[in-house]
Amino acid sequence: MKKVAVIMGSDSDLPVVEKGITELKKYGVPVEVHVFSAHRTPEEALTFAKSAEENGFGVIISAAGKAAHLGGVIAANTVLPVIGVPIKASALEGMDALLSTVQMPPGIPVASVAIDGAKNAAILAVEILATGDEELRKKLWEERRKAHDSVLEKDKAVSARFED
């Protein structure tokens, strides 16, 4: 199975990113975690991105706040899918990071999830890997079934509360 890299621009992003790491581990996906800054450690970020494919990665999750250039720097140096997680880290409540993540030039895509949406980034990474892995696909469908059943249980409880 291919690995997923989780790269964050600062260790202050870790509380958000951990939700995604936990989700990847739940699915049994190998994960490698690093702190590389697009601005403070650009050479290390570049080296990681350029060698990611040969190092066994299938997807890269990039979490960054404020200017949030990390996802773009990584995407510019690999053809692996890059999923950006904009982090709420400034007075702009993460909107700056969201716009930096999604406003990529043609030919250098970075998929994006919601502000602080590391769990969904992990699930999207699993979905990408599952295109070539039947076991992962089964695990994803099982989680969808559980979510479905949970909503129906809540519906039943709420409906019962207001019965005449």
Side-chain angles (χ1 to χ4, degrees):
M1 179 186 300
K2 297 279 186 183
K3 301 183 285 185
V4 172
V6 177
I7 312 299
M8 65 196 95
S10 169
D11 65 342
S12 65
D13 302 331
L14 188 56
V16 170
V17 170
E18 280 183 309
K19 295 172 184 138
I21 296 165
T22 299
E23 196 69 15
L24 290 165
K25 289 184 176 192
K26 180 175 91 175
Y27 284 95
V29 173
V31 60
E32 193 172 299
V33 182
H34 295 281
V35 177
F36 294 132
S37 168
H39 304 109
R40 293 179 300 251
T41 60
E43 290 301 320
E44 289 80 0
L46 181 72
T47 299
F48 181 87
K50 286 185 173 184
S51 62
E53 193 170 358
E54 69 189 49
N55 287 330
F57 292 97
V59 180
I60 300 171
I61 296 173
S62 167
K66 299 182 181 179
H69 292 138
L70 184 60
V73 166
I74 290 176
N77 290 285
T78 185
V79 294
L80 292 175
V82 176
I83 303 167
V85 180
I87 301 290
K88 183 177 173 180
S90 73
L92 298 176
E93 301 295 311
M95 286 301 297
D96 48 350
L98 175 63
L99 294 174
S100 293
T101 302
V102 301
Q103 291 294 95
M104 293 299 299
I108 310 294
V110 174
S112 185
V113 294
I115 296 168
D116 291 349
K119 181 176 178 177
N120 263 359
I123 294 169
L124 179 55
V126 173
E127 289 177 341
I128 292 167
L129 295 178
T131 61
D133 187 318
E134 183 62 30
E135 287 304 310
L136 275 181
R137 207 165 24 260
K138 287 177 184 176
K139 289 178 183 179
L140 285 163
W141 278 115
E142 179 60 21
E143 286 301 312
R144 293 276 177 101
R145 186 195 60 74
K146 287 178 187 175
H148 169 271
D149 293 350
S150 174
V151 170
L152 291 181
E153 287 175 24
K154 291 173 185 176
D155 171 64
K156 187 176 178 180
V158 169
S159 295
R161 186 172 159 202
F162 295 99
E163 285 180 354
D164 290 332

